[in-house]
Amino acid sequence: MKPEQTIVVIGGNAAGAAAAAKAKRINPNAKVILFEQSKYISTGTCELPYVLSGEIDDPLSVVFFDEKKFEYEKNVKVFTKYNVEKINVHTKSILVLSLIELKPFEFKYDKLILATGSRVKRVPQFSSELTNVSPLKSVEDVIRIKKFISEAKQKRVCVIGSGYIGLEAAEALNKLGFEVYLIEQEREPFPSTDKEIRQRVKKILDEKRINFLGSAENVKYRFNNSKVAALVIEGRQIEIDFAITCTGFSPNNSLAFQAKLDIGKYGGIKVNNRLQTSQKDIYACGDCIEIKNFVTRIDDYFPLATLAHREGHIAGENAALGNAYLQPAIKNISVKIFDHYFAQVGLSEQELQNKNIPHSTVEETVPNLVKVLKESNLVYGKILFDRSSKKILGASFLGGKEVSGYADIISTYIKNNIPATQLANTEYNYTPPLSPMINLLSVLGRKAAHSFSQGKENNDVTYINNNMDFKL
């Protein structure tokens, strides 16, 4: 039987909720308390763009637990609208402020779990006092933006940032009939991806009449009555109703800094493989930490819901005197871009180049179903692999829903150190309405094998089918 202990969790989203529930399951004798600054816990962040578009009707439908339900089902006491302002590592206590009563109080812990998540990177030109600007990160945000939508007069909106969330927000607003201006600091959209993907995404945006404005230093803003009122582009003024900031995330580490916990290269909390921080009684999980990248074997920053949930379980188990370990992770991420789907796994070519990692590439565009079916479309894939060992370092795909499965297969290959050439020897299922006779991965595997059979192991090798344009 495990001893009585007090386990405090700070943060109530994917990682925090998972950590609290797991800690209570591992040690039923523990008193587990969760503090959350906002009104909601256990929310679906990835679903928010689809709430915005109306594909999910009610914003509150992505709130999976409230305080009462969580306490009833998980036996964890939850306090929402409570902000933890300070950690005292010497007295093992936290200073908590009720945001309703504005009364501070001290709370003791035996073990503490930080699940403070991430913050949206701010736009330097925008003050916090602007009343028609919002990120798209929380249920409160999507409720606020829906109010902007209902009050819009110009039916014109600015989305700042063309990464994953920026593209999703642009699509959602386009579906609602808004004229969308998508602003990006870099020259091309989706800057974290390889050039082949960036070029294809630009074609998709043009087809859907999204006004993409790269090199954002050319874009200025006009403000009026605490609102961003217009874009100014080369002397031309474009009035807008509101702006959504989708400029990426950074770890929310203010409490960790205050407690003098070790911080990593990307601003995330440093943890060991048990998710223990530099203070042995404090654990951390989710978007506030850095974890080991399986491909590079060095610490990296992966603000992904799937990893946050896994990390929450591990931190919760270990805080409850368990013994769980986090293995190095592979980035595996996907997004819907209008009628297409993108998936990336492992490292991009841009990342490999930045890290000076020698590699070879193969790429191809093929039908995702047999050509005679009217539903058949083209899918693009690119594999990056080590020149000598043939091990896969990363891959990216753009096509239909099949790209999700491709990315998962490649993730399995990376995790098990299977060489890229074995993709040609894998058995793929085939039935005309579902899958092609010749799988894209098989084609890429044969091309990888061909590059080695030609004795080109020491050179970058790229194969492209120039006769197949990506169909929009």
Side-chain angles (χ1 to χ4, degrees), residues 364-371 379 406 423-424 426 428-431 435-446:
E364 184 58 285
T365 303
V366 300
N368 64 351
L369 299 173
V370 289
K371 292 181 181 180
V379 57
Y406 293 161
L423 288 167
T426 298
Y428 305 95
N429 66 71
Y430 165 59
T431 185
S435 50
M437 176 69 180
I438 302 174
N439 193 288
L440 171 62
L441 295 183
S442 179
V443 175
L444 293 171
R446 291 202 301 273

Side-chain angles (χ1 to χ4, degrees), residues 177-192:
F178 277 79
E179 183 180 355
V180 179
Y181 286 82
L182 182 60
I183 297 176
E184 171 57 52
Q185 185 175 358
E186 303 299 329
R187 188 172 62 86
E188 295 177 307
F190 218 2
S192 65

Side-chain angles (χ1 to χ4, degrees), residues 7 9 11 13-25 32 34 70 76 113-115 285 308-309 311-317 319-320:
I7 301 172
V9 181
N13 231 323
K22 184 70 171 183
K24 188 64 179 182
R25 286 197 300 274
V32 182
L34 187 151
F70 201 83
V76 171
I113 302 175
L114 300 181
C285 54
H309 185 262
E311 293 156 10
H313 278 261
I314 293 170
E317 180 169 342

Side-chain angles (χ1 to χ4, degrees), residues 295-410:
V295 179
T296 63
R297 299 293 170 163
I298 60 176
D299 287 349
D300 212 327
Y301 182 56
F302 293 152
L304 301 174
T306 49
L307 289 175
H309 185 262
R310 182 193 305 172
E311 293 156 10
H313 278 261
I314 293 170
E317 180 169 342
N318 290 334
L321 307 181
N323 196 32
Y325 293 88
L326 180 71
Q327 300 298 320
I330 297 169
K331 181 175 66 177
N332 189 356
I333 188 168
S334 58
V335 66
K336 180 177 180 289
I337 308 172
F338 288 94
D339 302 324
H340 300 79
Y341 295 84
F342 169 76
Q344 184 177 38
V345 58
L347 299 181
S348 68
E349 187 159 26
Q350 185 173 276
E351 289 172 313
L352 289 170
Q353 290 170 349
N354 291 341
K355 296 178 188 298
N356 295 314
I357 298 176
H359 63 280
S360 292
T361 70
V362 291
E363 57 186 298
E364 184 58 285
T365 303
V366 300
N368 64 351
L369 299 173
V370 289
K371 292 181 181 180
V372 294
L373 286 174
K374 64 180 181 180
E375 296 87 359
S376 178
N377 206 331
L378 297 180
V379 57
Y380 167 83
K382 177 178 180 179
I383 301 287
L384 307 132
F385 53 95
D386 182 83
R387 291 174 179 172
S388 56
S389 69
K390 307 178 187 178
K391 292 177 182 177
I392 299 175
L393 303 171
S396 55
F397 303 95
L398 184 66
K401 291 183 178 180
E402 67 279 348
V403 303
S404 175
Y406 293 161
D408 289 344
I409 290 172
I410 296 299

Side-chain angles (χ1 to χ4, degrees), residues 198-225:
R198 297 195 299 267
Q199 291 166 359
R200 285 167 166 82
V201 169
K202 178 60 167 62
K203 289 182 179 179
I204 294 170
L205 295 175
D206 290 343
E207 175 73 15
K208 298 300 180 179
R209 297 181 180 176
I210 300 294
N211 301 289
F212 176 74
L213 304 173
S215 303
E217 63 270 14
N218 298 325
V219 179
K220 308 298 180 185
Y221 303 94
R222 185 174 65 79
F223 304 96
N224 185 31
N225 294 328

